Amino acid sequence: MILGSVCTRACRFCNVATGRPDLLDPHEPEKVAQAVEKLGLKHVVVTSVDRDDLPDGGAEHFAQCIEQIRKRSPHSTVEVLTPDFLKKDGAIRTVVKAKPDVYNHNVETVPSLYQQMRPGARYFHSLNLLNKVKELDPEIFTKSGMMVGLGEIKEEVLQVMDDLRAAKVDFLTIGQYLQPTAKHAEVKRYVTPEEFDYYARIAKVKGFLMVSATPLTRSSYHADEDFLKMKVAYQESLYVKKASN
């Protein structure tokens, strides 16, 4: 996680500290790249807190991390999980230009719960971000995830799937929300494994290249393995399209 440990948002499901953010470390991108090289990582996920205080939301910092990792570990694949860059013109373009292998941005929950769970975010802005990534660079795989058990209903989850597919999202993750502390939003319901299997089947039918839907699924759950599976699924989809023509 880059850009410090203090977030400018206060989402009711997240246990990251909210307050005055840390000063940016100008050497952080190089330090991240050194760590990736030293650990010999084949796939790395770079994420961050929200930094509404920065003019670009931290986009340039993300880009520098990608660039430094490429220099030191050219065979490593890079996945970014970015904030929504709300009201940060040009931020998405900055990250996309650095060409991560996967661009992840989570919608987190259904739109009816945004005001309660993500008061600083906007559902359709997140959809537009994901769609913009594909517009700028169709070769980048896009990914998004959501939690269930916060009070949503099945039909809302299915609508989110449709919205994400309309934004050309390739990879969907769905996991059970777990309350981090007594101060956070309560778990309204524990979704059964059978329901997760149902969501996974429906998501595949709707056209996602890759789906991970289990109680323990998280944004970076088996990210390295699933990235390879997604690449295979993409090649298979191209073959099917070619054969049908």
Side-chain angles (χ1 to χ4, degrees):
M1 188 168 78
I2 62 172
L3 298 174
S5 59
V6 180
C7 188
T8 54
R9 305 278 178 92
C11 298
R12 293 198 61 223
F13 53 81
C14 182
N15 201 26
V16 173
T18 302
R20 179 175 293 181
D22 306 320
L23 293 175
L24 283 186
D25 178 359
H27 304 293
E28 185 172 45
E30 185 177 354
K31 292 176 181 177
V32 169
Q34 289 173 349
V36 171
E37 181 182 34
K38 188 173 183 178
L39 292 169
L41 300 181
K42 295 180 181 178
H43 186 81
V44 58
V45 180
V46 181
T47 188
S48 78
V49 294
D50 274 282
R51 291 298 302 261
D52 297 310
D53 59 308
L54 300 175
D56 69 346
E60 181 59 34
H61 217 64
F62 267 101
Q64 290 178 13
C65 285
I66 298 168
E67 291 165 4
Q68 289 297 322
I69 292 170
R70 297 278 191 229
K71 288 179 181 178
R72 285 184 170 270
S73 304
H75 299 297
S76 298
T77 49
V78 183
E79 178 174 331
V80 294
L81 171 54
T82 76
D84 59 15
F85 297 129
L86 188 64
K87 300 179 182 178
K88 306 296 181 183
D89 292 342
I92 303 168
R93 186 180 297 274
T94 296
V95 180
V96 169
K97 189 175 179 181
K99 210 170 177 65
D101 296 281
V102 181
Y103 195 121
N104 186 4
H105 171 67
N106 291 326
V107 293
E108 305 290 9
T109 187
V110 299
S112 67
L113 294 177
Y114 257 57
Q115 187 173 359
Q116 178 184 354
M117 299 298 170
R118 299 188 73 195
R122 301 292 180 270
Y123 177 71
F124 287 104
H125 175 79
S126 289
L127 291 177
N128 288 335
L129 181 155
L130 292 160
N131 188 66
K132 184 68 174 178
V133 173
K134 280 294 189 184
E135 286 182 354
L136 292 170
D137 191 339
E139 294 183 356
I140 295 177
F141 289 110
T142 51
K143 179 177 176 181
S144 191
M146 65 182 300
M147 301 167 288
V148 289
L150 282 165
E152 72 292 326
I153 61 174
K154 180 182 70 175
E155 288 75 15
E156 289 181 301
V157 176
L158 300 183
Q159 183 60 59
V160 170
M161 290 184 191
D162 288 338
D163 293 342
L164 290 173
R165 282 303 300 136
K168 303 180 181 66
V169 171
D170 301 301
F171 188 170
L172 173 65
T173 61
I174 305 176
Q176 171 68 50
Y177 167 68
L178 297 175
Q179 185 178 0
T181 75
K183 296 180 180 179
H184 289 80
E186 295 181 359
V187 176
K188 298 295 184 182
R189 188 171 73 94
Y190 288 100
V191 178
T192 66
E194 291 76 17
E195 288 176 275
F196 278 106
D197 289 343
Y198 168 78
Y199 285 141
R201 292 195 306 272
I202 294 298
K204 291 293 289 185
V205 170
K206 288 180 180 293
F208 290 98
L209 288 176
M210 188 70 201
V211 182
S212 179
T214 73
L216 296 180
T217 291
R218 297 296 182 265
S219 293
S220 302
Y221 184 80
H222 294 170
D224 54 343
E225 298 172 18
D226 285 346
F227 172 68
L228 295 176
K229 292 177 182 177
M230 183 164 55
K231 288 181 68 176
V232 171
Y234 175 68
Q235 292 300 323
E236 290 177 347
S237 70
L238 291 180
Y239 177 79
V240 170
K241 287 181 181 179
K242 185 176 180 180
S244 63
N245 291 333

